[in-house]
Amino acid sequence: MSITVRRATVADRDAIVAVHRSAAVTPGALARTPEEVTTAFAEAAIAADICLVAVDADGTVCGEIHAKRETIALFAHVLGGLTVAVRPDQQGRGVGSKLFEALINWARSAEPEIVRIELAAGAGNPGAVRLYERLGFRHEGRQVARGRLPDGRFEDDILMGLLLRPVG
């Protein structure tokens, strides 16, 4: 399968909504429910510091990732608020890895410098946690009962970070 990753544009708005809604159908796969994925959500994603889409050979957007630099000066070297989604029929085919690799490459060359990328993953989503570990993210903590699933159960968030260069 041929996948390309490129910067998202306003023209991708509806496709980004479709990707996130399709992924959100599975409880715990994303933080948002399908109803919470709106055009305003997609517009905010596109306006983030970095927003990338994965496009298949037919030109269909099959994945999206976005993140933003922290705005407080003390944390300005941190890229956070990271959200990623891949259409369920494309999961397990390397789309998420390609999106992350492109995001990490962008972050490595960003000015001013980005030193750290951070994210939170639902403990009930081991596939996502394994992907992040393969990409070099490390477990840094756990937020107990951070999420509440539609059936009322609580789920912990796994806090993960990736240093782009040695510090200290």
Side-chain angles (χ1 to χ4, degrees):
M1 170 198 316
S2 174
I3 296 290
T4 59
V5 176
R6 62 168 172 77
R7 289 291 294 243
T9 69
V10 175
D12 296 313
R13 184 192 69 192
D14 294 342
I16 291 170
V17 169
V19 166
H20 281 265
R21 281 186 181 163
S22 68
V25 169
T26 303
L30 297 181
R32 288 170 183 78
T33 64
E35 298 77 32
E36 293 172 313
V37 179
T38 63
T39 56
F41 162 81
E43 289 165 355
I46 294 165
D49 291 301
I50 183 67
C51 181
L52 303 168
V53 290
V55 182
D56 67 18
D58 297 331
T60 303
V61 173
C62 57
E64 185 271 341
I65 190 169
H66 64 272
K68 60 184 174 159
R69 183 185 293 271
E70 296 295 329
T71 57
I72 298 171
L74 181 66
F75 308 117
H77 64 283
V78 177
L79 191 65
L82 192 148
T83 300
V84 61
V86 175
R87 274 192 357 228
D89 64 329
Q90 297 295 323
Q91 292 175 6
R93 297 182 176 181
V95 175
S97 294
K98 285 185 182 237
L99 285 165
F100 266 98
E101 288 164 8
L103 177 110
I104 291 166
N105 287 336
W106 174 86
R108 288 186 193 282
S109 64
E111 290 293 333
E113 180 182 35
I114 293 173
V115 176
R116 173 184 169 75
I117 302 172
E118 59 189 27
L119 58 82
N125 193 347
V129 172
R130 282 191 303 275
L131 169 63
Y132 306 148
E133 289 170 338
R134 273 196 321 272
L135 293 165
F137 285 82
R138 294 184 181 209
H139 291 245
E140 297 182 340
R142 188 178 195 102
Q143 293 176 306
V144 176
R146 174 78 167 119
R148 189 172 200 162
L149 300 174
D151 65 5
R153 290 180 298 120
F154 289 95
E155 179 178 69
D156 296 355
D157 259 356
I158 308 292
L159 304 177
M160 302 182 82
L162 173 67
L163 287 177
L164 298 179
R165 68 167 178 84
V167 294

